[in-house]
Amino acid sequence: MMLRLISFSLMLFTSFCAYAELPSSVSDALKKAGIPQQNVAIYVQAVESSVPILNQNAEQAMNPASVMKMVTTNAALDLLTPVYRWKTEVYRDGNLTNWQLQGNLIIKGYGDPSFKAQDFWRLLISLRQAGVKKISGDLIIDKSYFAADTNNASFDTEKWRAYNALPSAFLVNGRNTSFKFTAGDEAINITQEFELPEVVIVNKLKRATGACGDWRSRVAYDVQPAADRAVVTFSGSYAADCGERFLELSLFEDEKYAFFTFKKLWRELGGEFNGKLKLQETPVTAVKVLEQLSEPLGSIVRDINKWSNNVMARQLLLTIAAEKNGVPATEAKGSSAIKAWLAGNGLKFNELVIENGSGLSRVEQISAEHLGQLLVRAYNSPVMPEMMASLPILSQDGTIKQRLKDSQSNGRAHLKTGSINGVSAIAGYVLDANNHRHVLVMLVNHANATASKNAQDALIEWVHQQP
């Protein structure tokens, strides 16, 4: 056993000395993409080692895009534990007699990032079982667990897109309306995945022939919001070859989406309600009726990392803030909690900037070296199984399902991707041909960053082929 450890250590030392420069496959791909090496940071290290085998500009602070979610989710797993669950509480402010609530119904949210329409349905089923059928008052939503977001500006000009949704202490379905497009024999059909009557669809799409290709560039939408509805007009063309496609938009403020969903589900469950929506804190006189718990954090981080869900990551950062630095939760409190956690583990990342924890930011930054060191620590920590399981599996699922399908590295890497204009990143774990696992980080900050995919794939294969 000792001889094997010595041999492996010598291999790492030799590799470190041999690969002071980028592998030719990676440098050639970057050159072809028109990306200078000074705009690329790379860090590769075996999880059993304390030194990297490849270090290129790794100390340089870079924008990581959605790879920042790995910092947020790893911190959450460690600080909150994988068994952490969010609660959603229901209160009544009035007497309950003969199935009638003579007063207001109150829902208090605690930031559950995974609260879907089916969870709301389950909550309301429990409310019916608790003896409530008719609500004579209003619906009060208590969002005080999170501080009010004073920055309502979207990340880019696509303000209606789902990735721009803001966090909320009571967030239903990520407040997303998912539109499904299907090609009929003569026309294009547009439906809602979860249908709300307050969403009005105007379909001006034309059925086209030919290959699907970049279908999104040919489908335009216009949103006209109103107090009690949103009218969405689709125009352009949609090829029959596209089959089923989806587009997610956030058309309503979080409390309005929750209110519209409540009215729909309550009516379907046979309940009666004619009240209004109010936003306020839970009165001290209110009586708690029930509490519902989410799935554990260890499961929820999979949705965050495998599908790079921005608003869920933001909810998670605010949850860390509330649990570690008190309510109401703010992004600044969350950032402070993560930096304190890092420092407590001997990791001082002076360049680290956390704005919202999702990577959908122009100011968030970290170095490839520090992210690599964090991933090595994560692998050797008690939460390694949950962290690894949350990452997309190369060629098999998540955001890297279509990459390197014909490579021998297929299925042998767990990697998170990140992409915004001018930024492309990939980070995670690669198992080499001899079953030694390595941490890999590659951050590209350049106008041609989207063209760096081949260089990233070349680096993955180079790591996989390590002797």
Side-chain angles (χ1 to χ4, degrees), residues 261-301:
T261 302
F262 166 78
K263 290 196 296 182
K264 171 187 172 70
L265 296 177
W266 189 243
R267 183 173 58 249
E268 291 175 353
L269 289 170
E272 299 177 40
F273 173 80
N274 292 306
K276 299 178 180 179
L277 169 67
K278 292 182 179 179
L279 296 180
Q280 65 183 62
E281 293 189 29
T282 303
V284 294
T285 56
V287 177
K288 187 174 179 179
V289 180
L290 62 93
E291 176 181 297
Q292 182 169 291
L293 298 179
S294 72
E295 291 296 309
L297 173 62
S299 298
I300 288 174
V301 289

Side-chain angles (χ1 to χ4, degrees), residues 35-43 55-64 349-353 364-372 441-446:
I35 301 172
Q37 289 190 19
Q38 62 262 32
N39 294 91
V40 181
I42 295 176
Y43 189 88
N55 183 326
Q56 174 82 11
N57 300 326
E59 73 291 342
Q60 185 174 316
M62 305 279 277
N63 188 319
F349 298 177
N350 293 328
E351 85 292 352
L352 177 65
V353 176
E364 289 195 330
Q365 65 178 33
I366 192 171
S367 71
E369 177 182 37
H370 284 160
L371 181 56
V441 180
M442 182 172 180
L443 309 177
V444 182
N445 288 189
H446 188 267

Side-chain angles (χ1 to χ4, degrees), residues 382-393:
V383 300
M384 179 273 285
E386 289 79 15
M387 187 64 190
M388 286 278 290
S390 78
L391 301 177
I393 303 171

